[in-house]
Amino acid sequence: MRKLVRSLGIAFGLAGSAAAQDVPPASPQEIATQLVALRNVPGAAAGWVTAEAMEVGVAGTRVVDGEDAVQVGDAWHVGSITKGMTATLAARMVEAGAITWDTRIGAVLGDAFPEMHADWHGTPLRALLSHQSGMAANLPGASAADLGEGPRHDYVAEMLYSPPETAVGEFVYSNAGYVVAGAMLEAVGGAPWEELMQEHVFGPLGMESAGFGPPQGEAIEGHATRLLRGVRSAGQGPEADNIPAMGPAGRVHLSAGDMLRYLRAHLVRDESFLSPATWEVLHSAAGDRGYTDNIEGYAMGWGVDEDGSLVHAGSNTFWYAVAYIDPSAGVAVFAATNSGDLRAVAEPVDGALRAVLVGH
């Protein structure tokens, strides 16, 4: 599993306390301070959560060379960690009877997309959420540039009017697949994905800071690597994030505390939020669900290790974040930076999670 997720660039196999034995324990505040000591990291956050307690630490500045210090309640963009949130929304809607894991794309979107390629009609929601639908990773670059601020409908049309890239059951990490899954949820939910997320996930879990796109106003900004040296602010405009159509795949921002509240629900499998059976579907590797035995190590929006730990990373190239859940140890951890320089931050953030895991 570790080789799989590392090769995809979506997660790090921390393997619980066993992998962290040689890492000195540290508090979230110590970890955040260590991260901003790196050359290309203006600001950082780290934290842990258990069933009973939570601790968050932040350090650095909102903007490189700026004077505004990062605040505990500031929002962090979490990129592809959004995928697990979209899968969680799907789970809520399955339990509400609005859709099933096996609902086919054609049954929900056939009328809205009359030119849908025939091969998509029978593809189930669960295949999209586990990256086994056969859909390409992304909208072609030229099409994405043309779409810009355009509606999600146009993005979905581009994907569904084209044939699958691979056979159903073959793992291809697909942002586009999550956009189509989001469109299915919009169709049965009668509202935009963003509204459905607020109503069915963020609201019930008390995630008041959660929103979409780059944080606005007096907020942390993401940063990109300069051509020669250092980082530059990406600002708060449309160019500072993925296009809006990609929301279900990677456009959520939220505070570290709210991220930990979300992780706590998954850690304890909160039965007031989802049934035990539904939590099991969300957290089980695709092969374990009987849909296919062609892949190990990915559930619905989570990399999953043999010990049941869950992990996912996210970056829109201006931020970097990783979330990790260790059910056996009863703890979940989170770390984030407002730098998308993965060469500078990926390994230190990996190490930060290990240190927080040991020191919680």
Side-chain angles (χ1 to χ4, degrees):
M1 184 269 185
R2 295 189 190 92
K3 182 178 179 181
L4 167 68
V5 296
R6 283 184 182 275
S7 68
L8 292 169
I10 59 172
F12 294 93
L14 302 182
S17 57
Q21 286 177 353
D22 298 328
V23 179
S27 71
Q29 186 60 54
E30 290 171 328
I31 289 300
T33 301
Q34 291 171 18
L35 288 174
V36 300
L38 299 172
R39 189 183 71 180
N40 289 347
V41 179
W48 58 262
V49 66
T50 65
E52 299 83 18
M54 176 192 303
E55 184 178 352
V56 174
V58 299
T61 58
R62 288 170 167 172
V63 181
V64 64
D65 298 327
E67 297 181 357
D68 290 342
V70 173
Q71 303 297 309
V72 171
D74 282 347
W76 302 85
H77 195 287
V78 297
S80 286
I81 296 175
T82 301
K83 291 181 173 67
M85 298 175 180
T86 295
T88 302
L89 169 63
R92 293 274 287 178
M93 297 183 74
V94 166
E95 290 206 341
I99 198 167
T100 75
W101 300 117
D102 294 311
T103 296
R104 272 40 182 175
I105 295 175
V108 174
L109 299 179
D111 291 342
F113 298 93
E115 298 179 43
M116 183 188 303
H117 191 280
D119 288 351
W120 292 122
H121 279 270
T123 304
L125 175 64
R126 70 168 70 237
L128 294 166
L129 297 175
S130 56
H131 298 302
Q132 296 180 81
S133 66
M135 190 162 288
N138 294 292
L139 195 69
S143 297
D146 291 341
L147 181 60
E149 296 291 299
R152 188 162 295 130
H153 179 280
D154 292 352
Y155 186 115
V156 174
E158 182 89 15
M159 300 309 301
L160 293 183
Y161 291 170
S162 302
E165 184 173 271
T166 63
V168 173
E170 183 175 340
F171 185 92
V172 175
Y173 185 82
S174 177
N175 290 309
Y178 264 78
V179 176
V180 174
M184 293 178 69
L185 300 179
E186 290 179 325
V188 300
W193 169 83
E194 291 82 356
E195 292 182 16
L196 295 171
M197 287 296 302
Q198 292 286 4
E199 179 181 356
H200 297 289
V201 180
F202 299 157
L205 293 179
M207 300 161 63
E208 296 181 358
S209 69
F212 310 97
Q216 299 294 303
E218 295 183 0
I220 305 174
E221 296 181 4
H223 293 75
T225 307
R226 289 184 177 135
L227 180 61
L228 298 178
R229 187 169 182 267
V231 295
R232 60 173 173 80
S233 169
Q236 298 180 350
E239 68 281 357
D241 200 1
N242 298 312
I243 59 175
M246 286 185 65
R251 272 179 55 93
V252 165
H253 67 248
L254 73 174
S255 69
D258 278 346
M259 184 69 201
L260 293 173
R261 291 179 183 91
Y262 166 74
L263 295 180
R264 174 186 277 156
H266 282 262
L267 173 68
V268 304
R269 295 193 173 190
D270 184 351
E271 294 185 19
S272 69
F273 187 71
L274 289 171
S275 69
T278 300
W279 283 120
E280 186 65 21
V281 171
L282 278 180
H283 293 170
S284 296
D288 296 339
R289 292 195 302 272
Y291 175 62
T292 177
D293 57 4
N294 195 34
I295 186 68
E296 293 181 2
Y298 203 89
M300 292 189 178
W302 291 101
V304 55
D305 213 336
E306 294 177 358
D307 64 356
S309 59
L310 305 169
V311 63
H312 215 292
S315 175
N316 67 350
T317 74
F318 304 120
W319 306 72
Y320 184 69
V322 185
Y324 176 72
I325 300 172
D326 186 351
S328 62
V331 62
V333 292
F334 172 69
T337 68
N338 60 341
S339 170
D341 185 356
L342 298 189
R343 293 172 299 178
V345 302
E347 289 299 327
V349 170
D350 184 7
L353 286 181
R354 296 170 189 266
V356 174
L357 187 65
V358 173
H360 84 275

